[in-house]
Amino acid sequence: MTMSTTTLLALLKRQKYEFFSGVPCSHFADLFQRVSMDSDIMSVPAASEGSALSFAVGAALAGRRSVVALQNSGLGNIINPLTSLVQVNCIPTLLLISVRGHVDEPEDEPQHRIMGASTHALLDQLAIPWSEFDGTPHGFMAALVKAEEAFKRSLSFAVLVRKGQLSAGVGVAINGEQQADNYPLNVGDALEIISEALRPTDLVVSTTGFISRELFRLSDRPGNFYMQGSLGHCSAVAAGVALAHPSRRVVALDGDGAVLMHMGVLSTIGHASPRNFLHIVLDNEGYVSTGGQQSTSATSSLEAVAVACGYRAVRRCVTRAELSDAAARSLLAEGPHFLLCKVNQSHSHSLPRVTSRYTPEENKEAFQLALNQPRTFRLQAVPASGAR
Ligand SMILES: Cc1ncc(C[n+]2csc(CCOP(=O)(O)OP(=O)(O)O)c2C)c(N)n1
Ligand SMILES: [Mg+2]
């Protein structure tokens, strides 16, 4: 059974919900775009699930009923404010949790397997009552009534949403791809240009979602470690490799949503300052892997953050020529480098999954083999323009 996001919003409004925040999942269809256009509900696109919940708590303190939407992978980001803020202060909140890796869907991606099998037990352990959405308006209303009962006992309540249960709303079509259309390159173009600048010995750690899948499609090699899950942690993994292996050049291929989720890591990288490290952010101003929901990178200057955090050289590229020059220069001079590349939201129509060829463990083993080959590189003294 499937219910539209228009109906979902209407039912939330009937129950007097007035504030929405969250981090997208593809299961939510166009919910995030639709709520952002709804004048009856104030919405904040949060960088992480923990801050989404905290915004909701702030709104609740100010007297507004709040709902937070997240993927079950985001439970890891939410548990601290959920337990130490929401539960301790008795500020009950409605959670809409999309369930990836449900035990009934063994074909789902491996990064969701453990959380998929643990979501219900985790909520039970935290004493958060929940109900599984059945895909009907009646079922959603019944869940909202149960939420009311929980709120009376100062408890939060979770509604668990499965794949295919929410469909795009009716009325004005919302196309997430329109936002960054004005940039000439897409992720595939950018990865081709970057790949040309790489040496066979360079190591690459790529972020979860379409960026890893495009890299796998265009340039699969043993020196690629494809992150699946752990959104926002790709640059720390890559910088960890760079610090532990100073004789190898290491590249993090990141997304804007991922960087925003754990932006504090930029300060750590600037502080640790691995000279053999290049951080490339493919910024399409949205969460394209989950449907093109808007991120907040269009109104932030991630490159200015990197400068302020102590990266040695920072560049912003939009065109093919700019990216090609910046990638070549960054790979020759001492880092840490930060290269922000604005890209549009288009992708190849058939993006293969990394798991069609490797299990995560096989990918790790291939990467470690590539890492332990004793070839080294020497940094050359080419000044990167835009160096601070
Ligand atoms: C903690 C967590 N929250 C949400 C998700 C769902 N998710 C997977 S990929 C993705 C989008 C990431 O956006 P960005 O880094 O900008 O890459 P893009 O998809 O735009 O290439 C999201 C939200 C997740 N995997 N983990
Ligand atoms: Mg993005």
Side-chain angles (χ1 to χ4, degrees):
M1 298 292 276
T2 299
M3 183 178 88
S4 79
T5 53
T6 320
T7 306
L8 181 125
L9 284 185
L11 294 175
L12 285 175
K13 284 193 264 185
R14 195 192 287 176
Q15 292 302 106
K16 309 268 183 274
Y17 287 91
E18 295 178 294
F19 188 92
F20 176 97
S21 189
V23 176
C25 170
S26 51
H27 288 11
F28 290 132
D30 64 352
L31 177 63
F32 282 69
Q33 290 104 314
R34 199 157 286 278
V35 77
S36 72
M37 293 166 64
D38 192 312
S39 52
D40 296 331
I41 299 192
M42 184 179 286
S43 72
V44 175
S48 87
E49 290 82 359
S51 58
L53 183 61
S54 306
F55 273 111
V57 165
L61 284 174
R64 290 183 190 247
R65 293 197 127 193
S66 305
V67 51
V68 175
L70 65 146
Q71 185 177 88
N72 56 342
S73 63
L75 277 170
N77 285 337
I78 216 171
I79 280 180
N80 179 20
L82 190 57
T83 53
S84 63
L85 175 66
V86 167
Q87 293 186 306
V88 166
N89 293 284
C90 300
I91 306 172
T93 307
L94 180 68
L95 304 171
L96 273 185
I97 304 178
S98 65
V99 182
R100 295 290 308 261
H102 195 281
V103 285
D104 295 347
E105 288 171 44
E107 70 286 357
D108 204 348
E109 289 293 290
Q111 69 270 23
H112 296 297
R113 184 171 46 86
I114 294 167
M115 188 54 96
S118 313
T119 298
H120 305 78
L122 200 53
L123 292 171
D124 287 342
Q125 182 74 33
L126 293 170
I128 295 172
W130 50 269
S131 88
E132 284 200 323
F133 178 43
D134 66 358
T136 68
H138 179 77
F140 191 67
M141 204 48 223
L144 292 183
V145 169
K146 281 190 190 167
E148 297 299 328
E149 288 158 15
F151 295 167
K152 280 189 201 134
R153 291 183 289 140
S154 294
L155 296 173
S156 294
F157 190 83
V159 183
L160 306 184
V161 180
R162 299 279 300 278
K163 184 180 181 181
Q165 288 187 320
L166 280 181
S167 57
V170 291
V172 187
I174 300 170
N175 179 4
E177 289 194 8
Q178 282 164 359
Q179 295 149 21
D181 261 3
N182 42 343
Y183 298 118
L185 303 176
N186 64 21
V187 167
D189 302 325
L191 290 179
E192 272 172 359
I193 297 165
I194 293 160
S195 298
E196 278 166 27
L198 291 177
R199 291 182 199 168
T201 49
D202 293 339
L203 300 159
V204 178
V205 181
S206 56
T207 184
T208 190
F210 286 180
I211 291 176
S212 270
R213 289 172 65 182
E214 278 283 10
L215 180 70
F216 175 65
R217 179 178 78 85
L218 290 164
S219 165
D220 181 33
R221 54 205 271 287
N224 291 352
F225 184 67
Y226 305 101
M227 298 270 294
Q228 296 168 72
S230 296
L231 189 62
H233 294 303
C234 144
S235 60
V237 172
V241 174
L243 287 166
H245 235 293
S247 65
R248 297 295 286 275
R249 302 195 303 197
V250 187
V251 179
L253 285 177
D254 225 341
D256 51 301
V259 170
L260 290 164
M261 184 166 275
H262 294 299
M263 202 150 73
V265 73
L266 299 188
S267 175
T268 313
I269 291 170
H271 178 83
S273 206
R275 60 194 266 285
N276 52 333
F277 178 67
L278 166 59
H279 192 169
I280 301 178
V281 180
L282 301 175
D283 178 5
N284 49 22
E285 300 178 358
Y287 301 97
V288 172
S289 307
T290 52
Q293 302 86 350
Q294 215 167 343
S295 78
T296 54
S297 72
T299 50
S300 300
S301 171
L302 295 180
E303 66 275 27
V305 176
V307 170
C309 286
Y311 280 66
R312 192 180 302 273
V314 176
R315 294 184 68 170
R316 181 184 195 273
C317 324
V318 174
T319 66
R320 182 171 288 275
E322 285 167 352
L323 178 60
S324 172
D325 179 63
R329 281 175 174 273
S330 307
L331 284 163
L332 286 172
E334 283 203 359
H337 298 270
F338 188 88
L339 210 162
L340 184 93
C341 182
K342 286 284 187 182
V343 288
N344 65 51
Q345 300 196 346
S346 68
H347 273 278
S348 151
H349 284 298
S350 55
L351 276 182
R353 290 193 183 274
V354 175
T355 46
S356 65
R357 193 171 299 158
Y358 313 111
T359 64
E361 204 174 352
E362 285 165 350
N363 180 211
K364 176 202 73 178
E365 281 163 10
F367 182 81
Q368 285 183 310
L369 268 181
L371 181 73
N372 290 320
Q373 280 163 11
R375 280 175 288 174
T376 57
F377 73 96
R378 199 171 298 147
L379 289 168
Q380 294 166 20
V382 177
S385 59
R388 66 186 173 85

